[in-house]
Amino acid sequence: MTRVWNTDYGNLYDVEHRIIEKLSREEKHMQAIIYTKPHCKKCWRTVYKLSRVMPVQTITADADDYERFRKLGYRSMPVVTVYKADGTHETWCDLRVDKIKQYTEG
């Protein structure tokens, strides 16, 4: 059973919570967790672009992750969550050039 943490960012699964805690100690900036799948060009492109402007942690999604994302309405990879320094976050799926530009050009 995966542990769920209730945080300022909302509910986080155990692996996400550990990553955010580690990154928060290291950086007081935006940071991202990106769930990817192997050989996914959209995933690679998203990681590449966002990692140029903020710390990024990638996680290769497993069957449990796919099921969780499906229940949340996400239908493609990658699944990206950007955690902002003000305690808010934004989540999306797929290659979202508009969202990436928001962080890389702003």
Side-chain angles (χ1 to χ4, degrees):
M1 182 78 168
T2 303
R3 183 170 179 187
V4 178
W5 296 81
N6 187 348
T7 69
D8 292 341
Y9 294 118
N11 292 332
L12 297 177
Y13 286 81
D14 200 38
V15 67
E16 296 163 330
H17 185 259
R18 286 194 310 269
I19 292 166
I20 291 301
E21 279 194 333
K22 178 180 181 287
L23 291 174
S24 294
R25 286 191 299 272
E26 295 171 357
E27 298 281 339
K28 295 294 182 192
H29 309 287
M30 289 186 296
Q31 50 215 2
I33 296 176
I34 303 175
Y35 281 85
T36 63
K37 68 179 183 177
H39 314 293
C40 170
K41 292 190 185 286
K42 295 185 292 183
C43 300
W44 179 88
R45 187 84 176 147
T46 300
V47 170
Y48 175 77
K49 289 290 195 178
L50 288 178
S51 66
R52 297 175 61 106
V53 296
M54 69 181 76
V56 170
Q57 177 70 40
T58 60
I59 301 170
T60 302
D62 62 19
D64 291 338
D65 296 321
Y66 290 130
E67 179 64 19
R68 178 168 52 108
F69 297 146
R70 188 188 63 73
K71 287 179 181 176
L72 292 170
Y74 300 129
R75 299 286 184 244
S76 64
M77 298 299 282
V79 174
V80 179
T81 304
V82 174
Y83 297 91
K84 302 173 187 176
D86 65 2
T88 62
H89 70 281
E90 180 175 23
T91 303
W92 70 85
C93 71
D94 208 351
L95 177 62
R96 292 282 308 271
V97 175
D98 60 325
K99 296 287 187 189
I100 293 169
K101 283 184 177 181
Q102 203 177 311
Y103 294 101
T104 58
E105 294 179 0

